Structure formats: C-alpha cells, structure tokens
C-alpha cells in the first residue's frame, strides 16, 4: 500500500467513526448503539495492549486484572479524594503500568504456557483483592460515581461537563473513539520504530537477540507496561460510563476474550484487535437469538476460523491483494 493510499484509508476511517456513525445513529434513533460501539472501542484498547505482549512473544491472559485496577483507581480518586475524572484517566494508566513493572520483572522471564498461566491467575488475584480491601468497599463495589466534569485549560472549556449534556452517550462514544484512535496510532508508531523492530526480534529468537546486544529484559518490561497502561485507561472509562465498579466487573472470561480478539483479527496486524473486537462483540450478540445453542455455535465458529484463517480475518485482505 502506497503512502497516499494509507493516508486516504486513515481519513476514510476517521470520517466513518466521527461523522458517519453519529449521523446514522441520529437518523435511526438507535441511541443505544452508542453504548455498544463505546464498549467495542474500549475493549479494542484493552485488546491492543494484549496484542503488544503477543508481539514480544508472550501470551497474556491477564489484561482483565489491569482493567479492573484502572477502574478502581479512577473510582477511588474521583469518589474518595474528589479528583477530576480527566486527571484520574492517566493516573489509572500509570498506576497499572507501575504495577505491571513490579509484577513483570519476575514473571516476564517465563515463556509460553508458563507465562500464560501466571497472567491468568492475575485477574483472579485482582478480583480477590477488590473483595478484601476496605478502600474498594468489598463486594458492594463503588457506586454513584459522578460523570466526567468539564475539562478546561486556562479558563477555556475544551470538554463540557458530561452531566450537562443532552446526550452523554454520544460524548462517551466520541471520547472512547478518540482514545482508540490515539491508542492504535501509538501502537502502529511503536511497531514501526526501532524499538518495535527490536521487540519483533524477541518474538523470533530471544537468545539470538540477546547475543547481539539487545536488552531483552528492558524491552519486555516496556511492552508489558504499555500494554497494562492501555488496560487501565479502558477500565477507568468503563467505570465512568457505568458509574459503578465491582470486583466482578472484569473477570477471567474478559481476559480470555481480550486474547481472542487478537487471534480473530490477526496477530500479524496492528489493527487486528480492533477488527476482532468488533466481529466478536456483534457476533456474540447476534448468536443470542439461538438461545441455549449460543455458546456451542460460537465455539464451533471460532474453531473453524482458527483452522481456516490461522492468521486472522485481516489475512483475507492480504491474500486478496497478493492474488490481485
């Protein structure tokens, strides 16, 4: 794809997300779709973090832990300490990044299924901590979290108070979509940078990368920290949308789904998590009509896709271009 084609594709995508979708939803009157698409955008952000750990050759099934941490950090800072939501957003991400560094230093030495099993346990540990710690209010969770207030710089209001808006769902959608675009822009730039090339070498052969002077421990921790930052930010916005957070808000099932989003979209493509999340989210809802057979059909379709499209849905486009 040429440089001009890439620019045109990005422009078309932005036009669809920020212009076409709100116009079509407004015309149809289906404002409930704002919440659905907001969820897709936020799940895409968390899944992008999981994709980053795949990029360094690690199977991450613990992103739900950081999403839960981010949600609680934001809620506690807003409700207990009176912070502005806009300050808690980066604070939640940074807290999760710091926690991931402390956790990642020992566990990132593990590989394959061993690393996967440890990360799988993290989500359950986070849930149990949320149940046990007094600051999280235990099983009762944290409720009545206020909507994001106004964001102003030098007295100029950049983002209005969500509570004063006629349609806060649209505001949350635009916020989630903007952060999703920013997130994938960061991931794309990271992957195509010098650090990205070094991270790719870890996926292929860590021993060889280490033998030529690559600081593999540093790269693993950096990738894992960025991954957890994305999970924390997504969790913080989820808490703001629902105005509540509970120990069960993010479970092991969510962590597995974040991983499946990456597989479905394609591990070899930066935008794979975005497409995978969109298809998986709407696909699951569509299968709801099948009743008790929903999980059976869903599982069968996933197995078939893995067998016939091991490189994900985006590999179809790559195959078509090659044939063309």
């Amino acid at each position: 794809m040429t440089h001009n084609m890439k620019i045109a594709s990005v422009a078309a995508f932005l036009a669809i997300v920020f212009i076409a979708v709100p116009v079509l939803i407004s015309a149809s009157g289906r404002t409930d779709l704002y919440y659905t698409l907001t969820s897709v955008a936020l799940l895409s952000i968390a899944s992008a973090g999981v994709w980053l750990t795949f990029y360094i050759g690690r199977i991450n099934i613990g992103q739900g832990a950081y999403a839960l941490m981010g949600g609680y950090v934001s809620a506690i800072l807003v409700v207990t300490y009176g912070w502005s939501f806009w300050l808690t957003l980066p604070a939640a991400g940074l807290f999760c990044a710091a926690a991931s560094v402390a956790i990642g230093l020992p566990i990132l030495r593990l590989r394959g299924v061993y690393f996967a099993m440890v990360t799988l346990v993290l989500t359950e540990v986070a849930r149990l901590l949320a149940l046990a710690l007094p600051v999280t209010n235990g099983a009762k969770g944290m409720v009545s979290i206020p909507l994001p207030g106004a964001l102003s710089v030098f007295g100029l209001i950049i983002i209005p108070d969500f509570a004063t808006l006629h349609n806060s769902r649209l505001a949350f959608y635009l916020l989630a979509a903007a952060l999703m675009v920013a997130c994938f822009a960061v991931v794309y730039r990271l992957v195509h940078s010098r650090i990205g090339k070094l991270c790719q070498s870890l996926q292929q052969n860590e021993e060889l990368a280490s033998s030529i002077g690559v600081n593999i421990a540093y790269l693993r921790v950096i990738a894992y920290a960025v991954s957890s930052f994305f999970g924390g930010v997504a969790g913080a916005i989820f808490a703001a949308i629902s105005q509540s957070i509970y120990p069960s808000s993010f479970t092991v099932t969510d962590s597995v789904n974040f991983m499946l989003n990456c597989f479905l979209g394609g591990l070899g493509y930066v935008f794979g998590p975005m497409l995978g999340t969109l298809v998986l989210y709407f696909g699951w809802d569509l299968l709801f009509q099948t009743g008790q057979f929903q999980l059976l059909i869903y599982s069968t379709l996933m197995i078939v896709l893995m067998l016939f499209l091991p490189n994900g849905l985006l590999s179809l486009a790559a195959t078509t271009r090659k044939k063309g």
Side-chain angles (χ1 to χ4, degrees), residues 48-60 108 115 223-224 227:
V50 176
W51 185 90
L52 261 181
T53 53
F54 274 113
Y55 194 68
I56 60 170
R58 294 294 185 274
I59 303 172
N60 182 4
L108 283 168
F115 179 81
Y224 193 49
S227 165

Side-chain angles (χ1 to χ4, degrees), residues 16 22 126 139 141 189 196 208 216 248 260 265 278 290 295-296 304-305:
I16 291 171
R189 184 68 191 90
L208 181 59
I216 59 176
S248 59
L260 289 178
L278 182 68
T290 60
L295 187 58
L296 176 63
V304 170
L305 283 170

Side-chain angles (χ1 to χ4, degrees), residues 295-306:
L295 187 58
L296 176 63
I297 297 171
Y298 168 81
S299 303
T300 303
L301 288 174
M302 286 299 294
I303 292 170
V304 170
L305 283 170
M306 294 302 173

Side-chain angles (χ1 to χ4, degrees), residues 55 186-200:
Y55 194 68
V186 169
V187 173
Y188 182 86
R189 184 68 191 90
L190 182 63
V191 167
H192 290 84
S193 67
R194 179 176 174 274
I195 292 179
K197 300 302 180 186
L198 292 175
C199 287
Q200 191 174 27

Side-chain angles (χ1 to χ4, degrees), residues 70-144:
Y72 267 109
V73 168
S74 177
I76 290 168
L77 291 176
V78 169
V79 175
T80 308
Y81 296 100
W83 281 36
S84 166
F85 165 77
W86 304 107
L87 290 177
T88 69
L89 205 54
L94 290 172
F95 179 88
C96 291
S100 72
V101 171
I103 295 169
L105 284 172
I107 71 169
L108 283 168
R109 299 172 184 272
L110 302 173
R111 299 185 190 180
V113 67
Y114 303 105
F115 179 81
M117 290 301 99
V118 172
T119 58
L120 182 63
V121 172
L122 284 179
T123 305
E124 188 62 14
V125 170
R127 186 185 72 83
L128 293 174
L129 281 174
L131 279 170
L133 294 175
V135 72
T136 60
N137 208 23
K140 295 179 181 179
M142 302 192 69
V143 297
S144 301

Side-chain angles (χ1 to χ4, degrees), residues 263-267 302-317 319:
F263 279 129
L264 185 60
L267 292 177
M302 286 299 294
I303 292 170
V304 170
L305 283 170
M306 294 302 173
L307 288 173
F308 292 96
L309 287 173
N311 296 320
L313 294 173
L314 283 177
S315 64
L316 280 173
T319 303

